[in-house]
Amino acid sequence: MTDTTYALAAITEGNAEQAACILQTEIPRGLLKQITSPFPTVVIPTLRSVGNLFNTTDEISDILIEKLEDLVKKVFTCLTSKKTAIRREALWCLSNIASGPYSHVE
């Protein structure tokens, strides 16, 4: 699972076309479930993948927010993790969400 999620993070890094293809699948829902995994080796690349998706276009960010209603709440729960790497990735992910249009911050 960890290797697959890291591969997904690499695929989505700044590539809007590939991110758009991923949105047409159930992968985003799977990522949402993995954010609350008890395994840091799964959570860290999951947060990286989500952050990468938000780092593409505003349209993709809008779709993600609409599709994944609990996404921001789940990322916020990572801020209480004992693992520094998880907190760092969660903050980075939230900064990518907040860097979009004002509607994303609301």
Side-chain angles (χ1 to χ4, degrees):
M1 183 66 75
T2 300
D3 291 340
T4 303
T5 310
Y6 270 116
L8 182 61
I11 289 168
T12 58
E13 191 170 6
N15 190 321
E17 281 184 33
Q18 290 173 339
C21 289
I22 288 168
L23 290 180
Q24 297 174 7
T25 69
E26 288 299 310
I27 291 173
R29 293 221 182 275
L31 290 172
L32 184 64
K33 291 177 186 173
Q34 287 179 210
I35 288 175
T36 56
S37 169
F39 304 106
T41 56
V42 172
V43 176
I44 293 167
T46 299
L47 289 168
R48 176 60 54 166
S49 297
V50 171
N52 283 347
L53 288 170
F54 275 99
N55 202 24
T56 53
T57 67
D58 291 343
E59 292 79 20
I60 288 173
S61 296
D62 287 340
I63 292 167
L64 278 170
I65 289 173
E66 288 175 22
K67 275 185 141 181
L68 307 175
E69 297 171 5
D70 294 337
L71 176 68
V72 175
K73 290 178 188 175
K74 288 189 177 191
V75 174
F76 263 101
T77 64
C78 293
L79 296 176
T80 61
S81 173
K82 293 179 182 180
K83 299 283 185 183
T84 302
I86 290 176
R87 292 192 311 269
R88 182 180 55 237
E89 289 295 328
L91 286 169
W92 176 80
C93 185
L94 289 169
S95 75
N96 280 358
I97 294 168
S99 70
Y102 183 72
S103 61
H104 293 176
V105 179
E106 294 179 320

